Amino acid sequence: MKKISKKVLAVVLCISLVFGCSAMATSAADGSDTVKRVSCTFNGDSKTSRGFCWYTLENGDSDVQIVKTSAFNGSFANAMTFSSDTSYKFRKQFCHKVVADGLEAGTEYTYRVGDASKNLWSDIGTFVTDDGDSKFSFITIADVQASSDENFAHAAETIKGAMATLPDSEFTANLGDFVNDDTNDEWDWYFSNFACSNMSTTLAPVAGNHDGNITNKLNINVFNSTFNLSNPNTDSNTNWVNGVYYSYDYGNAHFAVLNTNDMYPMTQSQRNWLINDMKSSDADWKFVMMHRAAYAEGKNINKPDTIIMRDVLLPLFDELDIDVVFAGHDHTYYRSMQVKGDAAVENVTYVTENYNGEEVTFAYNPDGAVHILPATAGTKRYTVHDAINPIPETCAFRLSTRDMGGCFTTTEIDGGKLIIKSYLVDDETQKITLIDQYAIKKDVGQNKAVESDLSTDNASNIGNYIFNLVYALVDMLAKYLFVLLPQVIVNAIKG
């Protein structure tokens, strides 16, 4: 498994602190520009490419300097330099984007971003490229969603706990709602407090409804202006307005990242893109990451948008043989059973084996998908609510983390084995406790890529949009009248 050695990492972090903090202090003293909100994300081939985004107060050049960590001695004199003219003014600041490609697979890199002509640079960051093997691990968090620097700092304890628990993690997925009110201050607080993670790994961000959404205070193009992601069908698709959907391969897995802000009731373009994308992959493991959850027991699960989304996406997940769905939005912990056809899969076979010195029980070649909400990494936590059946009937484990702590999930893949563990970081002591575990074992090498060329152009799908909207509204009304309302009445009588 790829990892930055502890000695090299220690040197890099020390250099980063010395050079980065002194640069920040100098710029603060003389009132000059600063580099902030730095992110390194998937953009293109995960083996050879990364996307970088950052902000400055003044306009200037956009440069990224990258050097192999094994050759880094504190100087970027011999670094590879990547530049672009992709900078623009957004919310009274300047957004910069650069894609670095031609990198080597399975290699650890050290980088900084900024403006070479001004000698204006960010703190030092690190990331590792995918070597394409079938053994890797990653961290998943959701719903940091704070409104103060203090609460972002508290949420950062969760990601620090995750990094300590899984130091070999090769990337981090954030399932959306990075901020609460989508202000410049909140984004600055998020990036400053989460720099410990964002500057030491690759980030796979998911668009949340609080992260810039045309239905949320008319804040548009925010998510797209915060991360440098490969946006499909840029010429004909306007999903950048309220988020971005994209995909990437890593090891023997394929990940599709959905934009659930684009869901009234999720455009036919995005549905078709998901089908095309997943069918074209022969990866052993197939993941979906999204913000709004199809299975959850928080306060949002019975809302109209969620009901519509369940009807749209669950049949697609079945058709595309998705293994795991990670989602956020509902701020409680939830793990489903294996589900297919919106019902628990019967007769799942389980096998227990010794793996890395512990006894692990695996679901063996199960049908359907498992849905997981890793609660919230932040301080805004919900209680468990009654949900429309069959959500409670398909629940394997649920938990409200209110008054307990932030939550994170680790995923380890080793060929045909997948192990997911979920942890709490205690609010007071920062003690890390395992709260849930689930594992799958499958015979790999069975998936075959299939050519699919459904239209992903908005204009050609306009007729489908109208039909889908009418159908979804009628179906949602029927569920409210004939499913949810009777359940509410029964629960009230029992109560």
Side-chain angles (χ1 to χ4, degrees), residues 37-43 50-53 111 126-128 138-141 144 159 169-176 178 187 190-191 194 197-206 223 226-229 246 248 250 257 289:
R37 302 189 195 176
V38 180
S39 63
C40 169
T41 58
F42 291 110
N43 190 317
R50 289 295 183 273
F52 297 88
C53 185
Y111 72 91
T126 59
F127 66 91
V128 62
F138 61 92
I139 292 165
T140 307
I141 62 171
V144 175
I159 195 64
S169 168
E170 296 183 25
F171 64 89
T172 294
N174 188 315
L175 301 172
F178 291 78
W187 282 110
Y190 162 75
F191 275 103
F194 276 73
S197 170
N198 292 345
M199 295 293 288
S200 62
T201 192
T202 302
L203 182 65
V206 180
F223 189 81
T226 304
F227 305 105
N228 188 359
L229 301 163
Y246 62 100
Y248 60 95
Y250 206 98
V257 179
M289 293 182 171

Tab-separated table of all heavy atoms in Angstrom, residues 37-43 50-53 111 126-128 138-141 144 159 169-176 178 187 190-191 194 197-206 223 226-229 246 248 250 257 289:
chain	number	residue	atom	x	y	z
A	37	ARG	N	-7.691	28.755	0.788
A	37	ARG	CA	-8.696	27.809	0.274
A	37	ARG	C	-8.087	26.843	-0.746
A	37	ARG	O	-8.637	26.623	-1.824
A	37	ARG	CB	-9.888	28.525	-0.355
A	37	ARG	CG	-10.619	29.466	0.571
A	37	ARG	CD	-11.904	29.956	-0.082
A	37	ARG	NE	-12.462	31.112	0.588
A	37	ARG	CZ	-13.523	31.789	0.187
A	37	ARG	NH1	-14.149	31.410	-0.923
A	37	ARG	NH2	-13.963	32.829	0.840
A	38	VAL	N	-6.964	26.253	-0.398
A	38	VAL	CA	-6.263	25.361	-1.316
A	38	VAL	C	-6.883	23.966	-1.268
A	38	VAL	O	-7.107	23.412	-0.193
A	38	VAL	CB	-4.772	25.271	-0.963
A	38	VAL	CG1	-4.037	24.338	-1.932
A	38	VAL	CG2	-4.144	26.661	-0.971
A	39	SER	N	-7.161	23.401	-2.446
A	39	SER	CA	-7.649	22.022	-2.504
A	39	SER	C	-6.981	21.288	-3.657
A	39	SER	O	-6.681	21.869	-4.696
A	39	SER	CB	-9.173	21.970	-2.666
A	39	SER	OG	-9.572	22.559	-3.891
A	40	CYS	N	-6.763	20.006	-3.431
A	40	CYS	CA	-6.237	19.095	-4.446
A	40	CYS	C	-7.283	18.007	-4.639
A	40	CYS	O	-7.601	17.279	-3.698
A	40	CYS	CB	-4.905	18.507	-3.979
A	40	CYS	SG	-4.285	17.131	-4.984
A	41	THR	N	-7.846	17.903	-5.838
A	41	THR	CA	-8.958	16.989	-6.077
A	41	THR	C	-8.685	16.093	-7.278
A	41	THR	O	-7.778	16.337	-8.072
A	41	THR	CB	-10.258	17.776	-6.343
A	41	THR	OG1	-10.056	18.644	-7.469
A	41	THR	CG2	-10.655	18.606	-5.127
A	42	PHE	N	-9.518	15.056	-7.403
A	42	PHE	CA	-9.460	14.218	-8.594
A	42	PHE	C	-9.909	15.038	-9.801
A	42	PHE	O	-10.931	15.729	-9.753
A	42	PHE	CB	-10.355	12.992	-8.439
A	42	PHE	CG	-9.856	12.015	-7.416
A	42	PHE	CD1	-10.531	11.835	-6.216
A	42	PHE	CD2	-8.709	11.272	-7.640
A	42	PHE	CE1	-10.080	10.935	-5.269
A	42	PHE	CE2	-8.237	10.371	-6.694
A	42	PHE	CZ	-8.920	10.201	-5.511
A	43	ASN	N	-9.139	14.940	-10.866
A	43	ASN	CA	-9.500	15.603	-12.115
A	43	ASN	C	-8.741	14.894	-13.223
A	43	ASN	O	-7.555	15.116	-13.414
A	43	ASN	CB	-9.145	17.097	-12.076
A	43	ASN	CG	-9.707	17.862	-13.250
A	43	ASN	OD1	-9.665	17.396	-14.384
A	43	ASN	ND2	-10.234	19.049	-12.987
A	50	ARG	N	-4.118	15.614	-11.244
A	50	ARG	CA	-4.847	16.197	-10.123
A	50	ARG	C	-5.305	17.603	-10.494
A	50	ARG	O	-4.675	18.301	-11.295
A	50	ARG	CB	-3.972	16.278	-8.859
A	50	ARG	CG	-3.668	14.948	-8.180
A	50	ARG	CD	-4.912	14.283	-7.625
A	50	ARG	NE	-4.626	13.050	-6.911
A	50	ARG	CZ	-4.527	11.858	-7.471
A	50	ARG	NH1	-4.670	11.727	-8.796
A	50	ARG	NH2	-4.291	10.769	-6.751
A	51	GLY	N	-6.408	18.026	-9.880
A	51	GLY	CA	-6.912	19.376	-10.072
A	51	GLY	C	-6.659	20.204	-8.824
A	51	GLY	O	-6.889	19.738	-7.701
A	52	PHE	N	-6.197	21.437	-9.003
A	52	PHE	CA	-5.915	22.331	-7.878
A	52	PHE	C	-6.774	23.582	-8.004
A	52	PHE	O	-6.985	24.105	-9.105
A	52	PHE	CB	-4.437	22.721	-7.849
A	52	PHE	CG	-3.512	21.553	-7.641
A	52	PHE	CD1	-3.044	20.818	-8.724
A	52	PHE	CD2	-3.137	21.180	-6.361
A	52	PHE	CE1	-2.201	19.728	-8.531
A	52	PHE	CE2	-2.293	20.088	-6.159
A	52	PHE	CZ	-1.824	19.366	-7.242
A	53	CYS	N	-7.252	24.055	-6.868
A	53	CYS	CA	-8.029	25.294	-6.826
A	53	CYS	C	-7.611	26.071	-5.587
A	53	CYS	O	-7.333	25.474	-4.540
A	53	CYS	CB	-9.532	24.976	-6.782
A	53	CYS	SG	-10.605	26.436	-6.878
A	111	TYR	N	3.771	19.711	-3.016
A	111	TYR	CA	3.401	20.799	-3.926
A	111	TYR	C	3.137	22.093	-3.170
A	111	TYR	O	2.981	22.124	-1.944
A	111	TYR	CB	2.145	20.422	-4.715
A	111	TYR	CG	0.863	20.430	-3.897
A	111	TYR	CD1	0.070	21.580	-3.804
A	111	TYR	CD2	0.445	19.306	-3.189
A	111	TYR	CE1	-1.096	21.601	-3.055
A	111	TYR	CE2	-0.721	19.307	-2.435
A	111	TYR	CZ	-1.480	20.462	-2.365
A	111	TYR	OH	-2.628	20.478	-1.606
A	126	THR	N	0.815	17.785	0.260
A	126	THR	CA	1.250	16.489	-0.257
A	126	THR	C	0.055	15.695	-0.757
A	126	THR	O	-1.076	15.898	-0.308
A	126	THR	CB	1.964	15.658	0.828
A	126	THR	OG1	1.071	15.451	1.928
A	126	THR	CG2	3.224	16.343	1.320
A	127	PHE	N	0.288	14.818	-1.709
A	127	PHE	CA	-0.720	13.866	-2.165
A	127	PHE	C	0.005	12.676	-2.770
A	127	PHE	O	1.217	12.719	-3.020
A	127	PHE	CB	-1.676	14.494	-3.184
A	127	PHE	CG	-1.028	14.864	-4.495
A	127	PHE	CD1	-0.992	13.977	-5.560
A	127	PHE	CD2	-0.447	16.123	-4.665
A	127	PHE	CE1	-0.383	14.316	-6.771
A	127	PHE	CE2	0.159	16.476	-5.867
A	127	PHE	CZ	0.188	15.560	-6.919
A	128	VAL	N	-0.735	11.590	-2.986
A	128	VAL	CA	-0.179	10.394	-3.610
A	128	VAL	C	-1.053	10.006	-4.791
A	128	VAL	O	-2.284	10.112	-4.726
A	128	VAL	CB	-0.050	9.239	-2.591
A	128	VAL	CG1	-1.411	8.841	-2.038
A	128	VAL	CG2	0.651	8.040	-3.201
A	138	PHE	N	-9.520	4.609	2.143
A	138	PHE	CA	-9.897	6.020	2.120
A	138	PHE	C	-10.822	6.335	3.287
A	138	PHE	O	-11.360	5.442	3.953
A	138	PHE	CB	-10.567	6.398	0.794
A	138	PHE	CG	-11.851	5.654	0.480
A	138	PHE	CD1	-13.083	6.168	0.846
A	138	PHE	CD2	-11.817	4.450	-0.209
A	138	PHE	CE1	-14.263	5.499	0.541
A	138	PHE	CE2	-12.994	3.766	-0.521
A	138	PHE	CZ	-14.213	4.297	-0.143
A	139	ILE	N	-10.977	7.620	3.556
A	139	ILE	CA	-11.792	8.142	4.657
A	139	ILE	C	-13.022	8.827	4.080
A	139	ILE	O	-12.958	9.457	3.026
A	139	ILE	CB	-10.979	9.147	5.496
A	139	ILE	CG1	-9.839	8.432	6.244
A	139	ILE	CG2	-11.863	9.910	6.482
A	139	ILE	CD1	-8.796	9.382	6.804
A	140	THR	N	-14.148	8.710	4.770
A	140	THR	CA	-15.371	9.404	4.365
A	140	THR	C	-15.941	10.175	5.542
A	140	THR	O	-16.073	9.623	6.653
A	140	THR	CB	-16.431	8.402	3.865
A	140	THR	OG1	-15.870	7.575	2.854
A	140	THR	CG2	-17.629	9.138	3.293
A	141	ILE	N	-16.275	11.451	5.321
A	141	ILE	CA	-16.966	12.261	6.315
A	141	ILE	C	-18.125	12.982	5.628
A	141	ILE	O	-18.221	12.981	4.402
A	141	ILE	CB	-16.045	13.291	6.996
A	141	ILE	CG1	-15.489	14.285	5.956
A	141	ILE	CG2	-14.930	12.610	7.762
A	141	ILE	CD1	-14.747	15.457	6.567
A	144	VAL	N	-19.933	18.787	7.613
A	144	VAL	CA	-19.201	19.627	8.574
A	144	VAL	C	-20.082	20.800	8.985
A	144	VAL	O	-20.244	21.100	10.162
A	144	VAL	CB	-17.883	20.124	7.945
A	144	VAL	CG1	-17.188	21.098	8.876
A	144	VAL	CG2	-16.986	18.939	7.612
A	159	ILE	N	-11.714	14.896	11.662
A	159	ILE	CA	-10.833	14.475	10.575
A	159	ILE	C	-9.441	14.158	11.103
A	159	ILE	O	-8.761	13.261	10.583
A	159	ILE	CB	-10.786	15.544	9.456
A	159	ILE	CG1	-10.175	14.950	8.177
A	159	ILE	CG2	-10.043	16.777	9.893
A	159	ILE	CD1	-10.972	13.836	7.557
A	169	SER	N	-4.521	6.124	4.579
A	169	SER	CA	-5.598	6.546	3.675
A	169	SER	C	-5.029	7.311	2.492
A	169	SER	O	-4.148	8.163	2.646
A	169	SER	CB	-6.585	7.434	4.429
A	169	SER	OG	-7.480	8.068	3.553
A	170	GLU	N	-5.548	7.025	1.290
A	170	GLU	CA	-5.011	7.644	0.078
A	170	GLU	C	-5.860	8.790	-0.450
A	170	GLU	O	-5.414	9.557	-1.298
A	170	GLU	CB	-4.802	6.568	-0.990
A	170	GLU	CG	-3.755	5.553	-0.538
A	170	GLU	CD	-3.449	4.497	-1.576
A	170	GLU	OE1	-3.639	4.757	-2.782
A	170	GLU	OE2	-3.029	3.399	-1.173
A	171	PHE	N	-7.089	8.905	0.021
A	171	PHE	CA	-7.899	10.081	-0.294
A	171	PHE	C	-9.030	10.185	0.711
A	171	PHE	O	-9.302	9.247	1.472
A	171	PHE	CB	-8.433	10.055	-1.728
A	171	PHE	CG	-9.398	8.931	-2.052
A	171	PHE	CD1	-10.755	9.074	-1.870
A	171	PHE	CD2	-8.929	7.730	-2.576
A	171	PHE	CE1	-11.648	8.052	-2.182
A	171	PHE	CE2	-9.796	6.693	-2.897
A	171	PHE	CZ	-11.158	6.856	-2.703
A	172	THR	N	-9.670	11.353	0.736
A	172	THR	CA	-10.795	11.602	1.634
A	172	THR	C	-11.994	12.062	0.826
A	172	THR	O	-11.874	12.964	-0.015
A	172	THR	CB	-10.448	12.670	2.689
A	172	THR	OG1	-9.428	12.171	3.550
A	172	THR	CG2	-11.669	13.025	3.527
A	173	ALA	N	-13.137	11.456	1.066
A	173	ALA	CA	-14.389	11.877	0.439
A	173	ALA	C	-15.194	12.673	1.459
A	173	ALA	O	-15.394	12.223	2.588
A	173	ALA	CB	-15.195	10.673	-0.023
A	174	ASN	N	-15.625	13.864	1.067
A	174	ASN	CA	-16.498	14.682	1.903
A	174	ASN	C	-17.852	14.746	1.217
A	174	ASN	O	-17.964	15.246	0.096
A	174	ASN	CB	-15.912	16.085	2.086
A	174	ASN	CG	-16.686	16.906	3.094
A	174	ASN	OD1	-17.915	16.932	3.091
A	174	ASN	ND2	-15.979	17.621	3.956
A	175	LEU	N	-18.882	14.245	1.893
A	175	LEU	CA	-20.188	14.031	1.273
A	175	LEU	C	-21.079	15.268	1.243
A	175	LEU	O	-22.281	15.162	1.030
A	175	LEU	CB	-20.909	12.883	1.988
A	175	LEU	CG	-20.159	11.550	1.963
A	175	LEU	CD1	-20.847	10.525	2.861
A	175	LEU	CD2	-20.043	11.015	0.540
A	176	GLY	N	-20.501	16.435	1.414
A	176	GLY	CA	-21.255	17.657	1.185
A	176	GLY	C	-21.698	18.390	2.416
A	176	GLY	O	-21.610	17.904	3.543
A	178	PHE	N	-20.256	21.449	3.266
A	178	PHE	CA	-19.004	21.911	3.862
A	178	PHE	C	-19.260	23.098	4.783
A	178	PHE	O	-18.552	23.293	5.761
A	178	PHE	CB	-18.038	22.343	2.753
A	178	PHE	CG	-17.510	21.210	1.909
A	178	PHE	CD1	-18.288	20.634	0.912
A	178	PHE	CD2	-16.231	20.726	2.099
A	178	PHE	CE1	-17.791	19.605	0.125
A	178	PHE	CE2	-15.730	19.695	1.323
A	178	PHE	CZ	-16.506	19.130	0.335
A	187	TRP	N	-16.364	29.661	4.365
A	187	TRP	CA	-15.424	28.913	3.527
A	187	TRP	C	-13.994	29.117	4.007
A	187	TRP	O	-13.192	28.173	4.020
A	187	TRP	CB	-15.563	29.331	2.056
A	187	TRP	CG	-16.755	28.717	1.382
A	187	TRP	CD1	-17.885	29.358	0.974
A	187	TRP	CD2	-16.930	27.332	1.028
A	187	TRP	NE1	-18.763	28.463	0.385
A	187	TRP	CE2	-18.205	27.216	0.401
A	187	TRP	CE3	-16.150	26.195	1.170
A	187	TRP	CZ2	-18.706	26.006	-0.068
A	187	TRP	CZ3	-16.638	24.975	0.695
A	187	TRP	CH2	-17.896	24.892	0.094
A	190	TYR	N	-13.615	26.956	7.098
A	190	TYR	CA	-13.509	25.539	6.758
A	190	TYR	C	-12.100	25.197	6.289
A	190	TYR	O	-11.469	24.257	6.791
A	190	TYR	CB	-14.528	25.148	5.675
A	190	TYR	CG	-14.156	23.835	5.020
A	190	TYR	CD1	-14.345	22.623	5.681
A	190	TYR	CD2	-13.545	23.808	3.762
A	190	TYR	CE1	-13.940	21.421	5.113
A	190	TYR	CE2	-13.157	22.615	3.179
A	190	TYR	CZ	-13.349	21.424	3.857
A	190	TYR	OH	-12.935	20.241	3.295
A	191	PHE	N	-11.595	25.951	5.323
A	191	PHE	CA	-10.297	25.594	4.746
A	191	PHE	C	-9.153	25.777	5.741
A	191	PHE	O	-8.197	24.991	5.733
A	191	PHE	CB	-10.046	26.406	3.476
A	191	PHE	CG	-10.652	25.789	2.249
A	191	PHE	CD1	-11.824	26.293	1.707
A	191	PHE	CD2	-10.068	24.688	1.652
A	191	PHE	CE1	-12.386	25.716	0.570
A	191	PHE	CE2	-10.626	24.098	0.520
A	191	PHE	CZ	-11.790	24.612	-0.020
A	194	PHE	N	-9.474	22.767	8.244
A	194	PHE	CA	-9.312	21.446	7.638
A	194	PHE	C	-8.057	21.337	6.773
A	194	PHE	O	-7.892	20.361	6.050
A	194	PHE	CB	-10.553	21.079	6.822
A	194	PHE	CG	-11.655	20.490	7.655
A	194	PHE	CD1	-12.395	21.290	8.514
A	194	PHE	CD2	-11.943	19.133	7.612
A	194	PHE	CE1	-13.397	20.755	9.307
A	194	PHE	CE2	-12.946	18.592	8.393
A	194	PHE	CZ	-13.675	19.405	9.250
A	197	SER	N	-5.983	18.117	6.799
A	197	SER	CA	-6.386	17.026	5.919
A	197	SER	C	-6.271	17.409	4.453
A	197	SER	O	-5.661	16.708	3.653
A	197	SER	CB	-7.828	16.606	6.228
A	197	SER	OG	-8.321	15.709	5.249
A	198	ASN	N	-6.855	18.554	4.093
A	198	ASN	CA	-6.919	18.939	2.687
A	198	ASN	C	-5.547	19.148	2.061
A	198	ASN	O	-5.392	18.995	0.851
A	198	ASN	CB	-7.754	20.214	2.531
A	198	ASN	CG	-9.221	19.987	2.830
A	198	ASN	OD1	-9.688	18.854	2.892
A	198	ASN	ND2	-9.957	21.071	3.025
A	199	MET	N	-4.560	19.508	2.876
A	199	MET	CA	-3.213	19.741	2.349
A	199	MET	C	-2.329	18.507	2.437
A	199	MET	O	-1.124	18.591	2.180
A	199	MET	CB	-2.554	20.902	3.104
A	199	MET	CG	-3.229	22.244	2.902
A	199	MET	SD	-3.071	22.873	1.204
A	199	MET	CE	-1.343	23.322	1.172
A	200	SER	N	-2.902	17.363	2.791
A	200	SER	CA	-2.081	16.153	2.904
A	200	SER	C	-2.708	14.957	2.194
A	200	SER	O	-2.320	13.820	2.434
A	200	SER	CB	-1.847	15.804	4.374
A	200	SER	OG	-3.062	15.517	5.037
A	201	THR	N	-3.672	15.224	1.303
A	201	THR	CA	-4.310	14.120	0.597
A	201	THR	C	-5.040	14.660	-0.628
A	201	THR	O	-5.047	15.865	-0.888
A	201	THR	CB	-5.307	13.390	1.518
A	201	THR	OG1	-5.709	12.154	0.915
A	201	THR	CG2	-6.534	14.234	1.794
A	202	THR	N	-5.659	13.763	-1.369
A	202	THR	CA	-6.561	14.149	-2.457
A	202	THR	C	-7.983	14.148	-1.918
A	202	THR	O	-8.382	13.229	-1.201
A	202	THR	CB	-6.450	13.165	-3.629
A	202	THR	OG1	-5.094	13.134	-4.092
A	202	THR	CG2	-7.358	13.585	-4.773
A	203	LEU	N	-8.754	15.159	-2.269
A	203	LEU	CA	-10.129	15.290	-1.799
A	203	LEU	C	-11.100	14.919	-2.905
A	203	LEU	O	-10.934	15.324	-4.054
A	203	LEU	CB	-10.385	16.728	-1.352
A	203	LEU	CG	-11.775	17.052	-0.787
A	203	LEU	CD1	-12.024	16.291	0.512
A	203	LEU	CD2	-11.914	18.555	-0.554
A	204	ALA	N	-12.123	14.133	-2.553
A	204	ALA	CA	-13.240	13.837	-3.450
A	204	ALA	C	-14.468	14.542	-2.872
A	204	ALA	O	-15.165	13.987	-2.022
A	204	ALA	CB	-13.476	12.338	-3.565
A	205	PRO	N	-14.748	15.784	-3.288
A	205	PRO	CA	-15.858	16.547	-2.708
A	205	PRO	C	-17.196	16.247	-3.378
A	205	PRO	O	-17.263	16.001	-4.581
A	205	PRO	CB	-15.440	17.996	-2.953
A	205	PRO	CG	-14.639	17.930	-4.214
A	205	PRO	CD	-13.969	16.584	-4.242
A	206	VAL	N	-18.248	16.279	-2.576
A	206	VAL	CA	-19.618	16.069	-3.049
A	206	VAL	C	-20.399	17.359	-2.799
A	206	VAL	O	-20.281	17.961	-1.726
A	206	VAL	CB	-20.287	14.894	-2.315
A	206	VAL	CG1	-21.708	14.673	-2.807
A	206	VAL	CG2	-19.454	13.622	-2.458
A	223	PHE	N	-19.899	25.795	-5.648
A	223	PHE	CA	-19.166	24.536	-5.545
A	223	PHE	C	-18.142	24.419	-6.680
A	223	PHE	O	-16.985	24.052	-6.454
A	223	PHE	CB	-20.151	23.366	-5.595
A	223	PHE	CG	-19.540	22.030	-5.293
A	223	PHE	CD1	-19.317	21.628	-3.989
A	223	PHE	CD2	-19.200	21.165	-6.317
A	223	PHE	CE1	-18.759	20.389	-3.708
A	223	PHE	CE2	-18.646	19.930	-6.055
A	223	PHE	CZ	-18.426	19.529	-4.747
A	226	THR	N	-15.094	26.389	-6.046
A	226	THR	CA	-14.347	26.038	-4.841
A	226	THR	C	-13.418	24.861	-5.078
A	226	THR	O	-12.371	24.744	-4.434
A	226	THR	CB	-15.322	25.708	-3.691
A	226	THR	OG1	-16.201	26.818	-3.483
A	226	THR	CG2	-14.578	25.416	-2.397
A	227	PHE	N	-13.785	23.984	-6.023
A	227	PHE	CA	-12.979	22.799	-6.317
A	227	PHE	C	-12.769	22.687	-7.824
A	227	PHE	O	-13.638	23.064	-8.607
A	227	PHE	CB	-13.666	21.545	-5.783
A	227	PHE	CG	-13.989	21.615	-4.318
A	227	PHE	CD1	-15.299	21.820	-3.892
A	227	PHE	CD2	-12.992	21.498	-3.374
A	227	PHE	CE1	-15.610	21.900	-2.546
A	227	PHE	CE2	-13.290	21.581	-2.017
A	227	PHE	CZ	-14.594	21.781	-1.595
A	228	ASN	N	-11.636	22.140	-8.215
A	228	ASN	CA	-11.309	21.982	-9.634
A	228	ASN	C	-11.594	20.542	-10.042
A	228	ASN	O	-10.759	19.657	-9.879
A	228	ASN	CB	-9.836	22.324	-9.876
A	228	ASN	CG	-9.484	22.373	-11.354
A	228	ASN	OD1	-10.326	22.131	-12.213
A	228	ASN	ND2	-8.237	22.677	-11.645
A	229	LEU	N	-12.797	20.321	-10.555
A	229	LEU	CA	-13.271	18.987	-10.890
A	229	LEU	C	-13.555	18.880	-12.384
A	229	LEU	O	-13.854	19.869	-13.046
A	229	LEU	CB	-14.549	18.670	-10.102
A	229	LEU	CG	-14.399	18.722	-8.587
A	229	LEU	CD1	-15.765	18.808	-7.912
A	229	LEU	CD2	-13.627	17.513	-8.077
A	246	TYR	N	-19.332	13.948	-11.266
A	246	TYR	CA	-18.119	13.493	-11.941
A	246	TYR	C	-17.821	12.077	-11.478
A	246	TYR	O	-18.515	11.529	-10.602
A	246	TYR	CB	-16.940	14.417	-11.622
A	246	TYR	CG	-16.568	14.472	-10.151
A	246	TYR	CD1	-15.491	13.734	-9.657
A	246	TYR	CD2	-17.275	15.262	-9.246
A	246	TYR	CE1	-15.140	13.782	-8.315
A	246	TYR	CE2	-16.939	15.320	-7.907
A	246	TYR	CZ	-15.868	14.581	-7.442
A	246	TYR	OH	-15.532	14.623	-6.110
A	248	TYR	N	-14.410	8.915	-11.031
A	248	TYR	CA	-12.985	8.605	-11.092
A	248	TYR	C	-12.784	7.133	-10.748
A	248	TYR	O	-13.608	6.507	-10.071
A	248	TYR	CB	-12.176	9.491	-10.137
A	248	TYR	CG	-12.551	9.367	-8.670
A	248	TYR	CD1	-11.864	8.507	-7.813
A	248	TYR	CD2	-13.597	10.119	-8.140
A	248	TYR	CE1	-12.201	8.408	-6.474
A	248	TYR	CE2	-13.947	10.024	-6.800
A	248	TYR	CZ	-13.243	9.167	-5.971
A	248	TYR	OH	-13.593	9.066	-4.646
A	250	TYR	N	-10.156	4.361	-8.960
A	250	TYR	CA	-9.046	4.258	-8.016
A	250	TYR	C	-8.845	2.789	-7.698
A	250	TYR	O	-9.787	2.110	-7.270
A	250	TYR	CB	-9.315	5.043	-6.731
A	250	TYR	CG	-8.031	5.481	-6.062
A	250	TYR	CD1	-7.523	6.768	-6.247
A	250	TYR	CD2	-7.291	4.591	-5.275
A	250	TYR	CE1	-6.336	7.173	-5.670
A	250	TYR	CE2	-6.102	4.988	-4.695
A	250	TYR	CZ	-5.627	6.273	-4.892
A	250	TYR	OH	-4.432	6.657	-4.326
A	257	VAL	N	-19.716	10.325	-8.419
A	257	VAL	CA	-20.097	11.358	-7.452
A	257	VAL	C	-21.269	12.132	-8.036
A	257	VAL	O	-21.128	12.801	-9.065
A	257	VAL	CB	-18.916	12.297	-7.155
A	257	VAL	CG1	-19.333	13.380	-6.164
A	257	VAL	CG2	-17.723	11.508	-6.611
A	289	MET	N	-21.330	8.128	-4.474
A	289	MET	CA	-21.248	9.095	-3.379
A	289	MET	C	-22.168	10.249	-3.705
A	289	MET	O	-22.147	10.780	-4.817
A	289	MET	CB	-19.810	9.562	-3.187
A	289	MET	CG	-18.887	8.457	-2.691
A	289	MET	SD	-17.207	9.035	-2.419
A	289	MET	CE	-16.502	7.576	-1.600
